[in-house]
Amino acid sequence: MKDTPGWASPGSAPSDGQTPDASGPAEPTAAQPAGPSDTDPQNPAAKWSQVQPPPAQWSAPAAPPNTGQAPPPPPPVPGQGQRPPVGPGGYGGPSSHYGWGAGWGGPPPAAKPGVIPLRPLGVGEILDGAVATMRAHWRTVLGLSLAVAAVTETVVVLLRGLVLDESAGTEALDDPSATVSELTRAMEYSLLNSGVLVVISMIGTLVATALLATVISRAVIGKPVTTGEAWRDARPQGAKLCGLILLLLLLTFGVAAAGAVPGILVAVAGAAAPGAALAVLGSMGTALVALWLVVRYSLAAPALMLEKQGIQKSLSRSAKLVRGAWWRVFGIQLLGAFIANIVAAIVVVPFTLLAAALSGGGVSGFLTSGSDYGWTFLVISGIGSVIGSMITFPISSGVTVLLYIDQRIRREALDLDLARAAGVQGYSSSGATPGS
């Protein structure tokens, strides 16, 4: 091994046939007897002892005796205490031997053939990877997201215009003289409308996550993918994806609605006010259980699409990957959803105000009453929602898929398979802790 900066250590012997440091003379041998210059008082070398330590243990000579001075410290070794050189995969590059800690406290060096480094990821790297995927494969990502957003928003507009009566709930809730039964009916209308919209939004997010899973997985290893390839890869799992979505919706809303059953029974028995309060409290309690289930099975869609598993196996895979990391998965998912909603609001609000301005009541009427303005308002605001969803679906889907990949890297050393698929030579897993 050559004594290059960053590798040499104090007291190490020179390699590749190099001689000891030139500051000290070589040991005299039989073939090289000491000449007159070695004993000449005018020669500086005469001040050195003729008996030198072995080459690997050389140190600076001690001070002359009886001077009261301590021996000087050994000279610094080149490269000691310096930061390792920066390579393509971080400090030291993909083949660097600097591990965790290494004096710097940063993440271990890892190869980065695509949008993320092949090691356990931080929160910022997951969010950055989702955005980087959209930037690198924007035609495919935005094309698939636009298709899903157009279908879901069309369904929302039709339901709001033909089926859902949004004004039925708001009128009673704004009336201070409304009776308990009217308020209960208004709350039922409001919850029903909100629940339908939430269900459609969840379905759209799950479908977008499933369709974009192939694109994101290819982006991780730096491979391009077209819209046709992503669709052909996802189409065989279409029926299983529909079954998974239906099962997740039934499980989530079934658990949440179960808490309202006692209150509904009390209200039917004649005690309307206590029954309504009990139903609200019960729904809030079971909503926490439903949230726990949503996070526990949030990685089922990527497992279904990337591992080609069945519905039950995908659910068990998600539960296994989330086990012990529920709060981390929940926090990252919540942060991703928060960022996506901010982006969606930036896009949707101008379209909503434009739709209100082109409708009968104008912007001031919309801001004061919030009433429905008919099909003009629904269509224009729906167009804004399509554009917003087209941008936010890749963010939320990217966070979910990259979380799935990150958990597999942490527990199953998936980075080895990803490096092999990316063609990285001489890669060894860095930071993976299988079974953690």
Side-chain angles (χ1 to χ4, degrees), residues 22-368:
S23 60
E27 230 176 293
T29 61
Q32 296 177 337
S37 60
D38 295 329
T39 58
D40 188 357
Q42 302 299 325
N43 187 0
K47 299 179 182 179
W48 297 87
S49 172
Q50 298 298 322
V51 180
Q52 296 293 326
Q57 303 175 9
W58 183 87
S59 61
N66 301 324
T67 61
Q69 298 180 1
V77 178
Q80 183 180 4
Q82 298 179 1
R83 205 180 190 110
V86 178
Y91 289 113
S95 60
S96 173
H97 292 268
Y98 295 94
W100 280 100
W104 316 118
K112 188 179 179 181
V115 295
I116 59 169
L118 301 184
R119 56 167 168 76
L121 303 175
V123 179
E125 290 170 329
I126 292 176
L127 297 174
D128 180 70
V131 177
T133 301
M134 184 167 57
R135 271 200 319 264
H137 307 284
W138 63 272
R139 289 186 180 87
T140 303
V141 170
L142 295 182
L144 293 172
S145 300
L146 177 61
V148 177
V151 173
T152 54
E153 292 302 328
T154 300
V155 174
V156 169
V157 169
L158 293 176
L159 286 176
R160 293 178 65 184
L162 300 175
V163 178
L164 301 179
D165 186 5
E166 298 178 355
S167 61
T170 57
E171 292 177 356
L173 293 176
D174 295 335
D175 185 7
S177 62
T179 62
V180 175
S181 60
E182 291 175 344
L183 289 175
T184 303
R185 191 178 303 107
M187 291 181 61
E188 291 176 355
Y189 274 117
S190 179
L191 291 175
L192 177 62
N193 295 340
S194 301
V196 170
L197 298 180
V198 169
V199 167
I200 296 174
S201 177
M202 287 183 60
I203 293 175
T205 302
L206 288 172
V207 172
T209 301
L211 292 178
L212 294 175
T214 300
V215 182
I216 298 169
S217 65
R218 297 281 188 92
V220 168
I221 59 177
K223 304 289 185 179
V225 59
T226 64
T227 305
E229 291 173 344
W231 171 249
R232 285 192 296 270
D233 186 77
R235 185 172 54 187
Q237 296 291 99
K240 295 179 182 179
L241 177 63
C242 293
L244 176 66
I245 292 174
L246 180 61
L247 181 59
L248 288 175
L249 292 177
L250 290 176
L251 184 64
T252 303
F253 288 96
V255 171
V261 172
I264 294 174
L265 295 177
V266 172
V268 171
L278 183 60
V280 171
L281 292 177
S283 298
M284 291 176 61
T286 51
L288 298 177
V289 180
L291 176 63
W292 180 80
L293 291 173
V294 168
V295 176
R296 177 180 173 87
Y297 298 124
S298 61
L299 306 183
L304 180 79
M305 305 306 295
L306 297 180
E307 299 182 25
K308 309 303 179 185
Q309 301 283 0
I311 298 175
Q312 184 178 357
K313 183 64 176 178
S314 300
L315 293 173
S316 63
R317 286 286 291 150
S318 177
K320 178 182 178 182
L321 293 174
V322 175
R323 185 181 301 120
W326 190 94
W327 284 107
R328 180 176 183 272
V329 174
F330 169 69
I332 296 176
Q333 294 270 30
L334 182 63
L335 179 61
F338 178 73
I339 295 175
N341 286 330
I342 291 178
V343 174
I346 294 174
V347 177
V348 172
V349 168
F351 279 89
T352 303
L353 296 178
L354 176 62
L358 297 177
S359 301
V363 177
S364 59
F366 171 76
L367 295 178
T368 55

Side-chain angles (χ1 to χ4, degrees), residues 13-36:
S15 58
D16 292 345
Q18 299 179 11
T19 59
D21 196 308
S23 60
E27 230 176 293
T29 61
Q32 296 177 337

